[in-house]
Amino acid sequence: MDGIRIGHGYDVHALREGLPLIIGGVRIEHEKGFVAHSDGDVLVHALCDALLGALALGDIGAHFPDTDPGYKGADSMQLLAKVYGLARERGYRLVNADMTVLMQRPKLRPHIDAMRANIARALSVPVDTVSVKATTEEKLGFTGSEQGAAAHAVVLLTRA
Ligand code: MG
């Protein structure tokens, strides 16, 4: 494989009353949380898919199938560490990751630095390697109507 590799990931989870809301490994107080087989961490799932995409290794669903009871309620940070291990095994390290969460409510800004720190810790990379942003979609579409949230991630890998 080449010396540098780019990857993109995208994920969506539905929101429902009374479920836990975990984004970037941060448990956020909110009346709704993600419907998911795992902990539903939409941001970390997008990042996993970006890493797998950079390596042309398929997607998170292929590696951690939601039909596997072993991944029920799984801590997505552990899945992320496993996925990054696949990159490290192949001689790659993360140059940087940039991510955006699309969500109407709650405001994510107060939690952004904790998300960055959690992700950097899971990957054992400096925190300035990891960018997390959040935006609303101006009350439009499924994120705007608070039916769900989405996340995009892009990564650049280089041979260490
Ligand atoms: Mg997901």
Side-chain angles (χ1 to χ4, degrees):
M1 281 206 270
D2 298 324
I4 59 168
R5 307 278 299 191
I6 192 169
H8 168 260
Y10 176 70
D11 194 34
V12 170
H13 280 278
L15 287 162
R16 188 185 295 156
E17 268 83 15
L19 294 174
L21 181 64
I22 297 171
I23 306 178
V26 179
R27 174 76 187 258
I28 299 169
E29 280 306 314
H30 191 52
E31 70 268 21
K32 290 181 175 181
F34 291 128
V35 179
H37 184 70
S38 69
D39 63 14
D41 195 325
V42 70
L43 177 61
V44 171
H45 293 179
L47 179 56
C48 286
D49 265 358
L51 289 166
L52 290 168
L55 299 163
L57 286 176
D59 61 31
I60 192 173
H63 289 264
F64 309 108
D66 61 10
T67 51
D68 184 337
Y71 297 117
K72 186 156 174 55
D75 178 350
S76 294
M77 283 296 171
Q78 290 183 15
L79 306 185
L80 176 62
K82 280 189 188 173
V83 166
Y84 190 50
L86 298 174
R88 300 296 291 146
E89 282 168 18
R90 286 161 177 77
Y92 288 94
R93 68 173 176 82
L94 183 67
V95 176
N96 71 308
D98 186 23
M99 293 161 269
T100 304
V101 182
L102 312 177
M103 192 168 195
Q104 188 64 40
R105 284 192 321 122
K107 282 282 172 229
L108 298 181
R109 181 178 293 276
H111 308 290
I112 293 287
D113 283 342
M115 294 177 192
R116 293 176 63 212
N118 286 344
I119 291 166
R121 193 180 316 114
L123 300 176
S124 301
V125 298
V127 76
D128 66 1
T129 304
V130 178
S131 164
V132 176
K133 310 188 298 302
T135 185
T136 73
E137 293 192 289
E138 302 291 344
K139 299 189 176 173
L140 297 169
F142 69 85
T143 74
S145 60
E146 302 180 38
Q147 294 176 79
H152 291 273
V154 291
V155 299
L156 189 68
L157 303 181
T158 187
R159 285 228 189 262

